[in-house]
Amino acid sequence: MAAAILLGCSTVASTASAAHADPTTALHCEGYFSTTYTPPLTNTPTQTDVTFHNDLDYCPVGGVASGDASGHFTAIRSCTTLDLPPHPATITYEWENGTSSTIHYSYSTVDRLANGTTAVTSYGTVTTGFHHGATAVHTAIQPQLDLLACAGSGVARMTGTEQLTFTS
């Protein structure tokens, strides 16, 4: 798992350089997410309560220093299916300066990477608040799941790197 997080960090870091070079980037933040699954994920698809927390603790572009968002949904999940978030979805990020941005995500893509991690990229629009009208792209790098846990008691928690970018 450490290798997956390190790979995710290098992916986030390399994208941050591109965000600095792009004059249309209105906001760029990086951080970590955590997701819990009740019941834990196994190899059998099951109705699961999914709770997530996004902790964007480094925002080098965009007028805020950090922010976070949390949410909950119920869906059929397993260790063997691609983890697409439900859509449409609306998430509000609370920024450290007291402002917020509500994003309406309309679709996501999921890519399995060669090292076993999964990149989930969600696309949407800031519908209210800070940077209203901007296009939002959120990418989360999910680590490869523990195959023994998937075959046994399950995976109850996942953490990984993430980034959020607004463009105008």
Side-chain angles (χ1 to χ4, degrees):
M1 182 167 142
I5 290 174
L6 289 175
L7 173 69
C9 288
S10 67
T11 301
V12 169
S14 66
T15 311
S17 299
H20 290 289
D22 183 357
T24 62
T25 298
L27 173 96
H28 180 80
C29 294
E30 302 169 8
Y32 297 89
F33 72 89
S34 62
T35 305
T36 58
Y37 302 97
T38 308
L41 299 178
T42 64
N43 290 328
T44 304
T46 304
Q47 186 80 9
T48 306
D49 290 324
V50 181
T51 302
F52 65 89
H53 181 78
N54 297 346
D55 184 12
L56 298 168
D57 56 1
Y58 176 65
C59 300
V61 176
V64 295
S66 63
D68 63 6
S70 296
H72 175 268
F73 61 92
T74 301
I76 304 290
R77 293 287 188 255
S78 78
C79 289
T80 59
T81 58
L82 295 176
D83 197 12
L84 276 172
H87 288 301
T90 300
I91 297 173
T92 299
Y93 287 84
E94 302 291 337
W95 305 110
E96 97 296 334
N97 66 2
T99 63
S100 64
S101 299
T102 299
I103 303 170
H104 178 78
Y105 289 106
S106 54
Y107 71 99
S108 294
T109 60
V110 178
D111 296 304
R112 295 275 180 176
L113 305 178
N115 67 350
T117 63
T118 302
V120 178
T121 305
S122 299
Y123 302 88
T125 302
V126 179
T127 57
T128 60
F130 189 63
H131 287 298
H132 177 262
T135 298
V137 178
H138 178 265
T139 301
I141 305 297
Q142 299 175 345
Q144 182 175 10
L145 297 176
D146 180 340
L147 298 178
L148 291 175
C150 288
S153 61
V155 175
R157 182 178 167 88
M158 175 190 308
T159 60
T161 60
E162 67 177 335
Q163 63 180 337
L164 177 66
T165 302
F166 295 168
T167 56
S168 52

